[in-house]
Every structure is written in structure tokens, then in C-alpha cells.
Amino acid sequence: MRRPPALKPGSPAQSAGATEAAALAGRGEGRPAAPPPYRLLRADEDYRYLRDRGRRADFLDVLKYIPLGPRGRVALSFGGETRQRLDWFRNLDWGAGPPRSLSWMQRYMFHAELRAPYFRAFAQVKSGLETGRPGGPRAIDRDDFDFHQAFADFDLERPGLRLIVRAGRHELAFGSGRLVSPREGPNVRRSFDGVSVILSVRRVHAHLFVTRPVATVPGVLDDGWERGQWFAGAYLTVPSPLRGGQVDVYALYLDRPEAEYHRGRAHERHLSLGTRWFGAAGRLDYNVEAVLQTGRFGAAPLLAWTVASDTGVRLPLPWDPRLGLRLDVASGDRGPGRPFGTFSALFPKGSYFGEDALVGPANFLDAHPMLTLTPVEPLSLTLDWVVLGRYSLADGLYNVPGEPTIADPGGARFVGHRAGATLEAELGRHVGFVVTVGRFFRGPFLAQAGRTRDVDFLATWLTLKF
């Protein structure tokens, strides 16, 4: 029987405690059978094993560890990527937008690392370009040139212990990316300015941080802070009492002076208290998360919540099929005179319900069955169908960043449903190719809002990494 495909860097099981405190790719003795995969956070990669020249297994390994002295303990490393993506829509915004839209998005990123005993400096530049979108590029589409990351680490390693103190501009990614992610799907990724303390003691991983979100500004070397915002928290990953599982426990604080929802615009301060249980037992995998938010929205008290699940089973059949089901719900506002209730997804991944990114994770409930097939190991096909509704009839619809889009025009709960198919091909370690297609069928809520058309969507992209 063919072995199951390896977990991808963005999968729930591999993204847990996604820090340098996680297991280092490529560590061990002897020549590796294959180089380690590139990580979702490129700064998580560790190529010190290439100090042994006999362990080089890739033609680009010469760039991954360039010793600067005779002992090889101080070294440079280089890497980068380009992604070329086409997005096509018909009936954008369910008929309220242009009848056709074709957008070409280009992403270019390059990073360099200087590593020495107890010290590391990491810098990464980015350029995101967009052509063809009606009305011009969105904030997540374009950033001509800027520093995406620039930080220094104090790095202490002992048997069973690793401590990293990081200062500067860096990416954050926790759990499945529901609340904090580097925003991989959109053209321009997200980073934060501040300090992180990352600690690993055997199977316990902790990440404490105080940061300010970085604003994406389309010019050259002009990315500053999101006005007045602070983001801080603690994220802990520990072994689960369930065999083969782990547990995340976290507290995340966000202060936004100008938060906007359908209720209005006000100063928002909220604390998100959450837990995630995830793992695998035989052919079954699971990923269940619950979050409670409390604080204030202007003068009103804030109380919001979400529960999300992603469970699946691998069937003993040809093509290694995985049958999965996601069930999610997030609270919405119930109107003036009551605590403000719209859940905030903080800094979520850009493609929350799919690459069309038409609906965001606030005031919603959904059921999302999917089937993934692996005809051959480099190739996977996912068929999915997501059904979306509003949790609160007094609240409206939101986009992926959490901005209000369509206000409540009536009492309909059902927003619509989308059928989709995604084909992914990993053409070796350095090349990835994706094609995804879908149709979003409007429901009564969208019809009442004057949206007259179903939306057709197709996207394809080619990624080259080194």
C-alpha cells in the first residue's frame, strides 16, 4: 500500500506552535533522503545541518549555508520565492460589481540570514504588484517594495530546551491560522513589529509577544504601523491527554482605536481566550477550536465567541481519499442596548472559506464537507461544498479582513453556498502549481440585498521557491 502523503506546512498538525521552538527540519545524522520542505514561515527554516557538506542533497544547498570562517560556525543563508497568480471573476460581488474581472498578481520575496552561536539576524524584502483589477489594487494586492521582516534573535539551545528572544519586524502564525496568520493567500503577506519570547521545553512550546501590526502601504519603503493598534498575547502548546494529540491554550489582546462594524465605528479593546484540540488517531484526524472574546466596543461591553471544527478520516481505498467536514459558527451583533457581539477574527488567513474570499469569518455559521484525493503523491484534488448563513439576523455580512460589506436588508438567514474544486501539484521541492475553480450560488439574504447574479471564480498560480 502506498504510504499516506506527508503533511503540508500549513496543515493543522504541522502548524501547531509554529515557531523556531518546533522541531528543526533537517536535523539528524547522515545524508538526508531528501531536503526538508520549505516552511510556511521561511524564518523557521534551519540549515545548520549543511555544515556537514556530505549532507547536501539539493543543487541549491550551496546557498543555504555559506560558512564565513574556517570552523563554519558563522554562516550566511539566502532564499526567496516568486508567485505568479491570475484571478478571474464573473459577476463580481454577485452582480453589484463588473461583469468580468481578470487580475494578474505578482509576488517577489527575498531573504538573507546571518547565523552565529547564540545570535541570528534575518531580513526579508517583498514586492507585490497587481494589474487588471477593476477599481485598482486592494491594500492586500500591492506593495511596490518594502522590508517584510527585519529582526535579530538571541538563541539559546540546550538538550530538551530552546529559548529565543526576538526583536524587530517578524511574522506570526498560530494554530490553523484562524486568528493569526501571515496571510499567505493574498498577494501581500502580513508582519508585526515588536518583541517575541519563544520557549520550548521538551514537548511544551510557549510564545509570548508584544507587537504593533504593520500597515501595507503601496509605495516604496513606507510600511509603518497600523494607526494606534497594539497586539499582544501568549500562546501555549502542550501534549494532549488524548493519544496522538496536542492542545493549544492562548490569550490574545488587540487594541484598535478605529474598528468598524455594522453597528458603527468605535475604539475596540478585546481579549480573546481560546483553546484548540488537534491530532490524529489512526485514520481519524481532528482539529477543534473555541474562542471567547470580552472587552469593550466604544462605551458598550463586548461579548463574542466562535466554535470551529475540522475532522476527517482517511479511507483504505485507492488514491488515499480523505473525507472531511468543517463545522463553524461565529457570533454576530444583536443590536443596540445589548453587549456588542460581532466576533473578530483578528488577523486571519486570507482564504478563509475558499480562494474567492467573498465572505469573512464574522456573524456566520457554515457546513463545509470536502473530499481530497491523491492519485499520485505530487498531485492532490480537493472537491468541496460550503453552505453559509448568518448567525444573528440583526447583523450583516463581513469580508475576510472583518470589514462590513452588506447590511441586513431583511430577515433571511441563508447567505448562499459555493461548490469548488482545487488541483494542487508539487513539482519537486521548488515548484508548486495550483488551479482552483468555484461557483457561489446566492441565497435569499443576497437576493434581498439586490445581488442578482451567482459568482463564478477561477484562480491559478505558479510558485517558485529556493
Side-chain angles (χ1 to χ4, degrees), residues 16-202:
T19 69
E20 288 72 14
L24 293 175
R27 285 292 181 90
E29 299 297 330
R31 186 178 180 86
Y38 294 118
R39 304 291 295 270
L40 175 64
L41 306 189
R42 298 299 302 270
D44 281 357
E45 297 167 9
D46 191 330
Y47 294 99
R48 282 176 290 177
Y49 72 93
L50 293 175
R51 185 179 175 187
D52 178 357
R53 292 178 176 269
R55 301 191 66 202
R56 293 183 177 180
D58 186 280
F59 73 102
L60 289 175
D61 279 347
V62 65
L63 297 176
K64 295 303 179 182
Y65 198 86
I66 304 173
L68 298 183
R71 300 178 63 186
R73 301 183 67 192
V74 178
L76 286 172
S77 178
F78 298 98
E81 73 169 76
T82 176
R83 189 182 74 177
Q84 304 296 314
R85 173 168 174 157
L86 290 174
D87 279 12
W88 174 83
F89 282 92
R90 182 168 63 183
N91 305 323
L92 190 62
D93 198 15
W94 300 282
R100 298 285 191 279
S101 171
L102 179 62
S103 178
W104 174 30
M105 288 176 285
Q106 306 170 61
R107 174 197 286 176
Y108 304 96
M109 304 186 78
F110 177 81
H111 64 263
E113 174 190 87
L114 174 66
R115 190 182 285 269
Y118 306 109
F119 175 79
R120 178 171 73 137
F122 186 93
Q124 185 178 43
V125 293
K126 64 181 176 182
S127 177
L129 308 174
E130 189 277 336
T131 304
R133 182 178 177 85
R138 302 163 297 181
I140 58 175
D141 295 332
R142 180 184 168 191
D143 194 345
D144 292 343
F145 181 82
D146 221 303
F147 277 96
H148 180 60
Q149 299 190 82
F151 64 82
D153 282 350
F154 167 76
D155 190 347
L156 174 67
E157 287 188 82
R158 294 290 184 269
L161 168 70
R162 191 173 189 191
L163 172 66
I164 297 172
V165 180
R166 174 169 299 168
R169 179 167 297 184
H170 56 283
E171 293 180 325
L172 296 175
F174 298 124
S176 303
R178 291 190 179 109
L179 297 183
V180 184
S181 86
R183 199 170 60 191
E184 166 63 14
N187 202 35
V188 181
R189 287 174 62 125
R190 176 192 292 119
S191 57
F192 300 81
D193 283 346
V195 177
S196 284
V197 177
I198 305 163
L199 177 66
S200 176
V201 181
R202 300 188 185 278

Side-chain angles (χ1 to χ4, degrees), residues 6 11 75 89 115 154 174 182 259 275 279-280 302 313 330 344 370 434 451:
S11 67
F89 282 92
R115 190 182 285 269
F154 167 76
F174 298 124
T275 183
L302 185 155
V313 60
S344 169
M370 60 189 64
V434 179
R451 283 6 184 213

Side-chain angles (χ1 to χ4, degrees), residues 212 225-230 255-257 267:
R212 302 196 71 169
W225 295 332
E226 293 281 4
R227 182 181 174 190
Q229 292 193 28
W230 287 93
D255 187 324
R256 295 196 297 177
H267 192 157

Side-chain angles (χ1 to χ4, degrees), residues 324-338:
L325 177 64
R326 295 177 182 173
L327 296 172
D328 312 287
V329 58
S331 64
D333 192 28
R334 294 182 295 168
R338 298 186 178 188

Side-chain angles (χ1 to χ4, degrees), residues 178 235 247-250 273-277 288-292 308:
R178 291 190 179 109
Y235 202 99
V247 178
D248 293 342
V249 181
Y250 54 86
L273 302 173
T275 183
R276 184 173 77 107
W277 293 63
V288 181
E289 189 164 7
V291 186
L292 176 68

